[in-house]
Amino acid sequence: MREAYIIGGANIDIIGRSDHSLIPFDSNIGKVVQSYGGVGRNIAENAARLGVKVHFVSIFGNDYNGLNCIRYCEECSMDMSDCRIVENERTSTYLAVLDETGDMSIAINDMDILRFLDREHIDKVFKKIKKDDILVIDTNLDKELIAYMMKHAPCDIFVDPISSEKVQKLEGLLSYIHTFKPNVYEAERLSGIKYEGEDSVDDMGKYFLSCGIDEIYISLGKEGVKAYTKDCAVLCSTEDVTVANATGAGDSFMGGIIAATLMDYSFMDKIKFAQSCSVVTIESDQSVCRRLSLEMVNQRKEKLKFNVKEKKLCI
């Protein structure tokens, strides 16, 4: 059975959402929720809830938050045996402020503990990975460690670049990536191609394909996703979606791509399935929807109206 090894950040998420338009330099009335997060961890939980056998690899402090996060992940059927616990260190924390529509206004992350993830630990994990498994990396990790993993991974590599700043850690490494899921601003930063509408996104897709990446999924926010293989470009969006919290949409999409890949879905079916995962998450008030399941996503997918434009690429 093919499995997913996901290496990345695990945080305690503190998310505040304003009831009204945000007022800078003032106390805004709203709601604050604490949960378990981190891009790598969120992707892992989404994939596990979709039935994927997930091995999650990260670093935790030997504190209340860290030990409880490990316990929670195990309850979500994630294999946490390859995680490290570091004494006298604080578990990563992510603080985000959302506006009244659920879109992020600003965020702060404290992920200093990830410096304890080293090559020796990665080598132990790599010995367990089979050639037909999937390795998923987020760019919260140290740049040198990312380069080391890409050059020594025994299987296909999937990457979530996380932010326009952290995407720069991938410079010179794109040829090692099988599947890449940036948003349009991350794609702009890494490709050097200015975002000026759909044609410019196609130029980004062609650039990443020319670097050796097999599949690219560029998120356009409310406009949907533009996905690429060497054979085609697909623009896919959905209608009639109510946004409760957009924070975890990308992580849910990536979890969906992982699950769909391991289930041998076609390229088009991957896109629709992953977008359906995002919709289920967007319509919930959680960064990772705890009701997410393969059955729930397929049911939501049947009711969604997809707008699809497909064309051949000339590279």
Side-chain angles (χ1 to χ4, degrees):
M1 179 180 177
R2 300 174 68 191
E3 303 174 350
Y5 285 77
I6 301 175
I7 304 178
N11 299 331
I12 304 303
D13 278 354
I14 303 172
I15 310 294
R17 176 171 175 166
S18 178
D19 287 345
H20 307 286
S21 296
L22 285 167
I23 303 171
F25 313 110
D26 201 356
S27 177
N28 289 264
I29 297 173
K31 298 175 179 62
V32 178
V33 177
Q34 180 170 311
S35 61
Y36 301 117
V39 170
R41 198 216 66 84
N42 285 354
I43 292 171
E45 183 179 343
N46 277 292
R49 290 187 180 279
L50 294 169
V52 175
K53 174 62 176 177
V54 171
H55 301 260
F56 181 56
V57 183
S58 192
I59 303 291
F60 294 88
N62 189 23
D63 53 18
Y64 177 85
N65 285 334
L67 297 179
N68 277 331
C69 185
I70 291 172
R71 188 177 302 113
Y72 171 80
C73 292
E74 289 174 338
E75 291 171 355
C76 296
S77 301
M78 295 160 58
D79 186 330
M80 303 293 285
S81 60
D82 291 312
C83 290
R84 284 186 63 189
I85 299 174
V86 184
E87 296 287 343
N88 302 317
E89 291 290 333
R90 60 186 180 276
T91 296
S92 297
T93 301
Y94 174 79
L95 173 66
V97 176
L98 314 181
D99 65 18
E100 76 282 6
T101 69
D103 280 335
M104 185 177 69
S105 175
I106 195 169
I108 298 173
N109 66 74
D110 173 8
M111 305 190 73
D112 186 57
I113 195 172
L114 282 177
R115 71 186 188 278
F116 289 99
L117 192 58
D118 55 25
R119 292 184 181 187
E120 182 180 0
H121 189 71
I122 293 301
D123 285 340
K124 293 177 182 177
V125 175
F126 278 9
K127 290 178 181 178
K128 302 179 180 181
I129 299 177
K130 303 183 297 296
K131 185 177 181 180
D132 62 348
D133 289 336
I134 289 174
L135 174 64
V136 186
I137 299 171
D138 79 32
T139 55
N140 279 315
L141 304 173
D142 177 77
K143 181 177 180 178
E144 286 70 29
L145 186 63
I146 291 173
Y148 180 79
M149 287 192 291
M150 288 194 174
K151 293 173 182 178
H152 294 85
C155 64
D156 286 341
I157 299 172
F158 289 37
V159 177
D160 190 310
I162 297 181
S163 72
S164 295
E165 178 183 353
K166 294 178 180 179
V167 74
Q168 296 176 89
K169 297 178 182 180
L170 301 175
E171 290 177 352
L173 298 170
L174 297 181
S175 63
Y176 296 100
I177 300 173
H178 179 279
T179 297
F180 188 43
K181 189 208 71 64
N183 64 34
V184 71
Y185 303 108
E186 295 157 357
E188 178 185 67
R189 186 69 173 269
L190 190 56
S191 68
I193 299 169
K194 186 174 177 58
Y195 174 49
E196 295 177 329
E198 187 178 343
D199 287 343
S200 66
V201 180
D202 284 345
D203 290 338
M204 295 175 192
K206 292 176 183 177
Y207 169 79
F208 292 127
L209 288 169
S210 71
C211 292
I213 301 177
D214 293 272
E215 296 182 9
I216 302 101
Y217 302 86
I218 302 177
S219 171
L220 306 177
K222 296 177 182 178
E223 303 302 314
V225 63
K226 198 71 186 283
Y228 300 87
T229 68
K230 64 180 181 179
D231 298 318
C232 67
V234 178
L235 175 62
C236 185
S237 61
T238 56
E239 296 181 6
D240 303 322
V241 177
T242 301
V243 177
N245 178 5
T247 305
D251 300 338
S252 184
F253 186 94
M254 188 61 148
I257 290 295
I258 294 165
T261 298
L262 294 178
M263 290 187 288
D264 294 320
Y265 281 20
S266 69
F267 183 57
M268 185 65 74
D269 284 340
K270 283 184 190 180
I271 298 168
K272 290 182 177 180
F273 181 81
Q275 280 200 295
S276 301
C277 292
S278 289
V279 168
V280 168
T281 300
I282 287 170
E283 292 178 336
S284 76
D285 60 356
Q286 302 158 336
S287 296
V288 179
C289 178
R290 297 190 180 185
R291 297 181 293 112
L292 186 75
S293 68
L294 189 59
E295 180 181 10
M296 183 181 189
V297 171
N298 284 328
Q299 288 176 351
R300 189 68 183 94
K301 179 172 171 284
E302 289 299 315
K303 296 178 181 179
L304 278 173
K305 182 177 180 180
F306 292 96
N307 298 314
V308 178
K309 289 198 306 180
E310 183 177 1
K311 64 181 181 182
K312 295 292 183 181
L313 283 181
C314 296
I315 301 177

